[in-house]
Amino acid sequence: MDVLLDRYGRTFASEAGIKLADQPRPLYQLLVLSTLLSARISGDVAVAAARELFAAGYSTPKAMREATWQDRVDALGRGHYRRYDERTATMLGQGAELLLDRWRGDLRRLRDEAGGDPRGIAGLLTEFPGIGSTGADIFLREVQAVWSQVAPHLDKKVLDGAANVGLPRQERSLARLARSGDELARLSAALVRVSRSKRTAEEVKSAAAR
């Protein structure tokens, strides 16, 4: 745990410059990041693209909707999110409009509509263009730092990473190792990274054995 958190325990939200809190703006930023991470593109590129969108001022659904399609394409391009830039620019505009029209720009209203139930929240999240089951898992993994209702949310990627380093592969057993929602989100991010690389898993095990 110590090695994991020390070396890889940085959430994707924090990498994208999102100061996650139970407030409309950072929750929307997390939704944007989850949309970008859902594509078949490297996590580093998705994070860089999110940073460019936010630097351009598109960190609220109103600002995202009011930006032109070309503005969004250009920001994604600056983050080297080129393969999916045009399609994603369209989806971000549509998603911002949906959030404003249905939940008045506040994802807490979506959470409340689902009664705080993780499956219900995931189902509503998939109504956003570009957010499928993978994107919903990404959002829930990160938001559990501030939404205690959804914790623990440890999906297959997290549990696969846990198995790779010898930690429990059962959700409840693994969740008990974390001391807070924030640490659980950090652990989840670390284990996702470990699940993608056998070399990283071996590095963690080797360091922990010293």
Side-chain angles (χ1 to χ4, degrees):
M1 278 283 290
D2 290 341
V3 172
L4 268 172
L5 292 173
D6 181 58
R7 298 191 180 192
Y8 300 105
R10 192 174 183 204
T11 64
F12 292 95
S14 65
E15 285 192 340
I18 302 169
K19 295 181 179 179
L20 195 58
D22 190 21
Q23 297 293 330
R25 183 188 294 264
L27 292 172
Y28 174 66
Q29 289 177 309
L30 178 59
L31 180 68
V32 170
L33 177 62
S34 300
T35 303
L36 299 176
L37 285 167
S38 295
R40 292 183 180 179
I41 203 161
S42 81
D44 289 344
V45 169
V47 165
R51 281 183 167 275
E52 289 293 340
L53 286 165
F54 303 149
Y58 314 142
S59 56
T60 67
K62 184 174 184 290
M64 187 70 79
R65 182 177 67 178
E66 290 179 353
T68 68
W69 176 82
Q70 190 62 54
D71 286 339
R72 295 192 293 266
V73 169
D74 291 345
L76 291 167
R78 289 193 296 273
H80 304 289
Y81 200 90
R82 302 188 191 283
R83 187 175 171 190
Y84 303 98
D85 54 352
E86 296 187 355
R87 178 168 169 257
T88 301
T90 299
M91 293 191 301
L92 289 172
Q94 292 171 340
E97 188 159 2
L98 172 63
L99 181 56
L100 287 163
D101 290 348
R102 184 162 174 184
W103 294 289
R104 287 184 272 173
D106 190 345
L107 284 163
R108 296 174 300 181
R109 295 181 184 276
L110 178 152
R111 176 195 65 197
D112 294 345
E113 182 178 319
D117 174 64
R119 288 188 181 182
I121 293 169
L124 292 175
L125 287 171
T126 60
E127 295 187 24
F128 287 96
I131 297 280
S133 58
T134 296
D137 275 335
I138 293 167
F139 184 91
L140 290 169
R141 278 200 308 260
E142 300 268 318
V143 85
Q144 67 186 329
V146 295
W147 283 4
S148 59
Q149 303 96 322
V150 307
H153 186 83
L154 305 172
D155 55 66
K156 185 177 183 299
K157 282 188 178 180
V158 174
L159 298 177
D160 286 348
N164 288 349
V165 293
L167 290 176
R169 203 181 183 283
Q170 295 74 37
E171 184 177 67
R172 293 289 174 183
S173 298
L174 184 59
R176 280 195 290 269
L177 298 178
R179 291 165 289 192
S180 66
D182 178 68
E183 189 166 277
L184 188 58
R186 291 176 56 222
L187 175 62
S188 299
L191 290 174
V192 166
R193 293 182 176 100
V194 165
S195 75
R196 294 173 176 169
S197 169
K198 289 184 178 179
R199 182 176 178 180
T200 300
E202 290 303 318
E203 175 203 323
V204 169
K205 288 192 291 184
S206 175
R210 288 176 195 153

